[in-house]
Amino acid sequence: MKISNTWLQNYLKVDLSIDEISTILTDIGLEVEGIETVESIKGGLEGIVIGEVKSCEQHPNADKLKLTKIDVGHADLLDIVCGAPNVATGQKVIVATVGTTLYPDEKGFKIKKSKIRGEVSEGMLCAEDEIGLGASHDGIMVLKTAAEVGTSAADYFELSSDTVFEIGLTPNRIDAASHFGVARDLAAYLALSQEVKLNKPDVSGFKVDNYSQAIKIEVDDAKLVPRYCGVTIGNVNVEDSPAWLQNNLKAIGLKPINNVVDVTNYVLHELAQPLHAFDLDKIEGNTVKVRCAKKDEKFTSLDGLERELSKQDLMICNSKDPMCIAGVFGGESSGVNTETTSIFLESAYFNPVSVRKTAKRHGLNTDASFRFERGVDPNITVYALKRAALLIQEIAGGEITSEIQDIYPEPIENYLVELEYSKVNKLIGNDLPKETVKSILENLEIRILNETEDKLRLEVPAYRVDVQRDVDLIEEILRIYGYNNVVLPDFMKSNLSPNPKVVPHKIENSIADLLSSQGFSEIFNNSLTNPEYYTNKDELVRMVNPLSRETEVLRGSMLYGGLEVAVYNQNRRRKNLKLYEFGKTYRALGESKFAETKRLGIWLSGDAEEESWEAAKQSINFFNLKEKVENCLNRLGVSKWKSEEVEDERLDTAIEFTKGKNSLVVMGKVSDAELKKVEGKAAVYYAEFNWDTVLRMLSGKDVQYKTVSKFPSVRRDLALLIDESIAFSDIQSIAKKVEQCLLKEVNLFDVYEGKNIASGKKSYAVSFTFQDENKTLTDKYIDKVMEKMISSLKSELNAELR
């Protein structure tokens, strides 16, 4: 949100530097994210001066050009070629000197010394449109003879500049979504150390001139429209706004339209109360009807788009047709233009939820909807209406031609809260003087209804939707008092609690470090996803008010977010991908019951290594992913896990790692059907850790150092001919049953199928590594173990030695 310093000074005159104001605003919770200097004319007319035409002669080589000599207060006259038909000797003119940048458009152009038709030109005589002072290009600007040669144009035209604060407004602070709201907070802070006066615009001059244009207002649903106000103004002269109003709007990034529309925008940013002006002559039946849209009703908005309305859309209508989407966007046919002579001015409080749903449904985000969605002040509508009406009369003329109609059947009550001084001091940690507490509250427009020795009974304005409890009030007090002003005691008490052995975020970081060190990139995806990815839609957790079809549900799996990232990169020629993400998945268990589970997803695609002359090109495969999964489990210290092939509709050749009855990881190659959902083509391998379960499996014991054995290990290899249905895990299992103590590792180092191998068979080359920590193993002992091993493999797997 942009806040103009010049505009701010209208309500609070402060003798503070820009940096001081910025620091204070940030300290009181209105964080200043940027500071910008805004000029009323782009470039600030820098390098442009007042000059006098000393001579003007015809260009020898061009009928429409003149050769002039210009005095700009320097020792030498400037030679300038000019094509303006009105240039003449003795004129005081606007001169853009060499090096000046002019901005007749956004890009602008730089004045250079050049030759025009063979004659030197050392600058440019300017028309008003070329320096941003008007739209005319009929000739150069000719100034009054009293203009002093050499004076900068910026000084001559008394250009103004402004400083604009970019404030990162949090969603709960709608009270500060205006210049007056920011001034109120600033005044509350300054009042603790000095006398300050907050100047609220005076509307006491509002009066009804006549009753010639009374209009009928009807509100169908008071729940959607708790308050609706309106007044008519006749004999207005719609034209461009005065410079001060245009400059204020331009400073905060708004484009001036006309004086009536500009006033409504001005009051919105002044008081945070959106207003809307309708051309009174275009209101059919002299009736304003606030109702929900009818079925299949159409509406053309200000941007020229014809919109199909929902029956939930609240509309401002005349007796026949919609004129405006309430609180969101105006209509093309009912707006104010230069032909308008009478207006109907609206000020209202609309249901925040209704406005938000309508705005999202139509993909609109306007200054009005931003404020209505968060809950504007329901008790400021009439004041804002009077303020706007008086401004319109001031700059557009006209007369008030009706009473203010105020439809407010059930007034919204302020909040009543009791606040104990002792609780204030306890939560803040310092003893604040009672007068300080009361000063802060009163300057935030929080009324003190009753005071005792121990506590206050307070009335909080309805627009402070974020302040409804005593702790909220204490937060407000501390915000204005200043977090930096809280004095830390010399002695602090604390309770020491034992640190748990398993610290989840540290475990997560260790695996993130491991994967990142192996060339993986961490990704972060939205938890909201497309329901069309999932076959079992009954378990999906659906959003009550989704932003779009693609973000309608909470993700039930980590898979699809990573696939979207993979496809996005593959489409941009980034083929080799190693990705991981920690996140949560969600599942509906029944009515109003949900399960939330932490997961770790790993995705591999492309080549195993980047292209290099040192290594042959090899695509990522199932075993590359399996290696990464086992590395993670080993790094976590998870032992005695098992892996077996399982069915998973998302994956081809899926295996599951388990410990006891707990599933730790499921991994495999993503099926073509799943890739098709995200328009993917290249193979992707995926593993999903049930992170919550993995953490429960950790013992929390410290890592123990184990000395390297001084006794050598012994390796034996076997070439086994086995049925193609047999898995390597079957061989591992048998080997460990034969020798549990001395067998340290079983490894598959070669697989062969093809020539000289019978159909339905395959050849596995398997190594077995043995080691005794206390003595050297003999060949005789190892041979006996291997005989048992071979015998068991033959009997249980029908294996043959090759």
Side-chain angles (χ1 to χ4, degrees), residues 41 45 48-53 70 82-88 90-96 102 124-145 147 153-154 156-159:
I41 294 177
L45 300 185
I48 302 175
V49 297
I50 309 301
E52 182 179 356
V53 181
I70 309 296
C82 179
N86 64 330
V87 63
Q91 291 173 336
K92 296 292 179 68
V93 293
I94 302 296
V95 183
L102 297 181
M124 175 177 168
L125 306 187
C126 301
E128 63 180 40
D129 67 325
E130 292 167 331
I131 59 175
L133 287 174
S136 174
H137 196 70
D138 295 337
I140 60 172
M141 289 187 74
V142 179
L143 308 179
K144 295 178 180 179
T145 56
Y156 180 82
F157 291 108
E158 297 180 345
L159 288 192

Side-chain angles (χ1 to χ4, degrees), residues 194-213:
Q194 59 186 275
E195 287 288 330
V196 294
K197 182 181 179 183
L198 185 63
N199 301 309
K200 191 170 186 177
D202 181 24
V203 297
S204 61
F206 178 88
K207 65 182 179 64
V208 178
D209 297 303
N210 60 66
Y211 301 91
S212 61
Q213 293 180 319

Side-chain angles (χ1 to χ4, degrees), residues 529 534 554-561 584-586 599 650 686 688:
T529 187
Y534 301 89
L554 288 167
R555 63 187 173 196
S557 168
M558 303 290 289
L559 172 63
Y560 302 105
K584 291 183 178 181
T585 60
Y586 308 87
R599 307 271 181 180
R650 305 169 301 167
Y686 172 66
E688 185 168 295

Side-chain angles (χ1 to χ4, degrees), residues 554-772:
L554 288 167
R555 63 187 173 196
S557 168
M558 303 290 289
L559 172 63
Y560 302 105
L563 288 182
E564 289 175 346
V565 173
V567 171
Y568 180 89
N569 281 271
Q570 289 164 352
N571 290 341
R572 287 156 181 77
R573 299 184 179 276
R574 293 179 59 87
K575 305 295 185 183
N576 303 332
L577 300 172
K578 297 179 179 179
L579 310 171
Y580 73 94
E581 179 183 14
F582 288 94
K584 291 183 178 181
T585 60
Y586 308 87
R587 183 163 58 94
L589 301 177
E591 189 174 347
S592 301
K593 292 184 178 180
F594 310 98
E596 183 179 305
T597 309
K598 187 71 175 283
R599 307 271 181 180
L600 165 62
I602 296 177
W603 297 262
L604 291 177
S605 185
D607 295 332
E609 301 291 342
E610 293 295 333
E611 187 175 14
S612 170
W613 62 271
E614 293 182 300
K617 184 177 180 179
Q618 181 180 354
S619 297
I620 290 284
N621 58 43
F622 180 89
F623 296 101
N624 295 127
L625 178 61
K626 186 169 181 284
E627 177 190 19
K628 305 302 181 187
V629 170
E630 290 179 350
N631 285 345
C632 289
L633 292 175
N634 291 334
R635 176 66 181 83
L636 290 166
V638 178
S639 59
K640 298 182 180 179
W641 44 262
K642 296 180 180 179
S643 62
E644 59 182 356
E645 192 169 337
V646 293
E647 291 292 329
D648 189 314
E649 62 182 10
R650 305 169 301 167
L651 307 173
D652 295 335
T653 319
I655 66 169
E656 180 180 36
F657 290 77
T658 61
K659 184 171 182 178
K661 295 182 180 181
N662 298 297
S663 174
L664 304 178
V665 192
V666 175
M667 58 156 284
K669 181 183 179 184
V670 178
S671 69
D672 292 340
E674 299 301 316
L675 285 174
K676 189 175 181 181
K677 293 177 181 178
V678 295
E679 300 181 358
K681 296 178 181 178
V684 177
Y685 292 86
Y686 172 66
E688 185 168 295
F689 286 71
N690 186 331
W691 193 250
D692 289 336
T693 302
V694 169
L695 291 180
R696 287 198 303 271
M697 295 297 103
L698 303 184
S699 64
K701 293 180 180 179
D702 294 331
V703 175
Q704 299 292 322
Y705 169 73
K706 186 177 180 180
T707 58
V708 177
S709 176
K710 60 182 180 181
F711 301 102
S713 60
V714 179
R715 170 173 163 163
R716 292 285 190 270
D717 296 344
L718 293 178
L720 302 171
L721 188 64
I722 54 178
D723 292 338
E724 61 181 8
S725 61
I726 295 173
F728 172 63
S729 59
D730 298 327
I731 297 174
Q732 280 183 309
S733 179
I734 291 171
K736 289 178 180 178
K737 283 193 292 184
V738 170
E739 178 54 69
Q740 296 183 356
C741 298
L742 302 181
L743 182 62
K744 301 299 182 182
E745 184 180 6
V746 182
N747 183 48
L748 175 65
F749 63 89
D750 188 42
V751 179
Y752 177 71
E753 294 176 284
K755 188 177 180 181
N756 299 326
I757 298 295
S759 177
K761 297 285 187 178
K762 60 184 176 181
S763 175
Y764 270 11
V766 184
S767 66
F768 302 87
T769 303
F770 303 89
Q771 189 175 41
D772 192 324

